[in-house]
Amino acid sequence: MNNLQGMIFAAGLGTRFKPWTDKHPKALAVVHGKSLLQHNVEYLQQYGITNVVVNVHHFADQIVDAIEKNNGWGSHITISDETDEVLETGGGLKKAAPLFTADTIVVINVDILTNLDLGKLIAFHRQTNPVSTLAVTNRTTSRYFLFDEASTLCGWRNIKTGEEKIARTNATCLPKAFSGIHVISKQLFSLISQEGKFSMVDVYLDLARTQTIKGFDHSGSRFIDVGKPDSVAEAELLFSK
């Protein structure tokens, strides 16, 4: 699986993770003796991805220090510095674009822990050749991406507010929960028209009108979003040593 790079989103303020994030970045919160960042660097390593970009903003110096002290946990890690302004997922990915040389990039939120088989996800992406493939499951959430019967993105729905954004009106749309993991083709960067601070959700919904974006269902996998302090205990149970 050569010609692969990774990106770990680690710039977030972690407001749901207080009080830890009053003095530390969420990326360095510890599960089973390892930071979330280390877990995800090692997760990518399992699939041969050792060239990784990490974006930083909140307590950026702590993340840089941890990477330097641990020699990137065996990976080559490049920092995308968002110290001046946190750019959200879309802006963060666009800012990092010059740091990528590979055709295929695996992007993951630092607070996600999963045993999803990335090899299968990457193989599906390369076989179907969309601009992006989103890892999704049947879990219950408040906001869903909507996919047609061919697993092509056709919209988004917030079931709490009733808000809907439909990109392909003629499709029968099925709701799936996004797992915070996506495989993107390098060509995606040239298609992003937004500037500054913006979300990848908006990028995908804009592009879904004219480009193919696929969903890859991994509902059988173990998965947790370590978004709040009480999720750490859940994560340690789910991924017991």
Side-chain angles (χ1 to χ4, degrees):
M1 278 195 223
N2 53 1
N3 207 5
L4 283 168
Q5 280 177 276
M7 178 164 188
I8 300 172
F9 285 135
L13 300 176
T15 48
R16 293 184 301 147
F17 212 88
K18 287 177 175 283
W20 170 265
T21 46
D22 290 334
K23 295 184 178 178
H24 311 276
K26 183 161 64 168
L28 297 184
V30 174
V31 174
H32 281 309
K34 294 180 181 181
S35 67
L36 291 170
L37 179 59
Q38 181 181 353
H39 277 290
N40 275 309
V41 169
E42 292 177 350
Y43 173 58
L44 292 173
Q45 284 173 0
Q46 290 172 40
Y47 298 93
I49 302 169
T50 55
N51 187 335
V52 180
V53 173
V54 174
N55 69 343
V56 294
H57 171 78
H58 188 58
F59 293 111
D61 55 334
Q62 292 186 31
I63 296 178
V64 172
D65 285 350
I67 290 168
E68 288 176 352
K69 278 178 189 162
N70 295 282
N71 295 313
W73 300 281
S75 287
H76 175 76
I77 297 177
T78 307
I79 296 295
S80 181
D81 189 343
E82 294 177 29
T83 312
D84 292 344
E85 181 190 16
V86 66
L87 297 171
E88 293 187 23
T89 50
L93 186 65
K94 185 169 184 173
K95 182 181 172 80
L99 303 174
F100 297 109
T101 53
D103 295 330
T104 307
I105 301 143
V106 177
V107 183
I108 185 167
N109 296 348
V110 76
D111 52 5
I112 299 302
L113 294 178
T114 183
N115 68 346
L116 156 66
D117 186 335
L118 272 184
K120 288 182 178 173
L121 173 56
I122 293 161
F124 174 84
H125 176 79
R126 288 178 163 170
Q127 181 189 337
T128 52
N129 200 30
V131 292
S132 183
T133 302
L134 313 181
V136 294
T137 68
N138 292 325
R139 71 191 166 90
T140 303
T141 183
S142 58
R143 292 167 295 182
Y144 291 94
F145 275 122
L146 306 173
F147 295 88
D148 68 14
E149 286 148 344
S151 297
T152 301
L153 182 66
C154 56
W156 176 91
R157 178 184 298 145
N158 183 327
I159 59 168
K160 279 189 178 168
T161 64
E163 184 186 3
E164 270 195 347
K165 296 176 183 178
I166 303 298
R168 295 178 183 234
T169 50
N170 57 348
T172 304
C173 294
L174 309 166
K176 299 278 184 181
F178 178 43
S179 301
I181 303 165
H182 21 159
V183 180
I184 66 171
S185 298
K186 201 178 177 199
Q187 72 193 77
L188 174 70
F189 294 119
S190 64
L191 301 171
I192 299 175
S193 60
Q194 289 89 340
E195 298 287 344
K197 181 178 179 178
F198 56 94
S199 165
M200 279 308 293
V201 173
D202 296 328
V203 172
Y204 287 145
L205 291 171
D206 279 354
L207 293 181
R209 296 186 182 95
T210 55
Q211 304 288 330
T212 301
I213 296 161
K214 288 289 188 185
F216 178 86
D217 196 312
H218 66 106
S219 294
S221 306
R222 283 182 289 166
F223 169 89
I224 188 167
D225 169 1
V226 190
K228 300 175 183 174
D230 56 6
S231 334
V232 171
E234 288 176 56
E236 294 193 329
L237 284 171
L238 189 62
F239 292 91
S240 56
K241 289 287 183 191

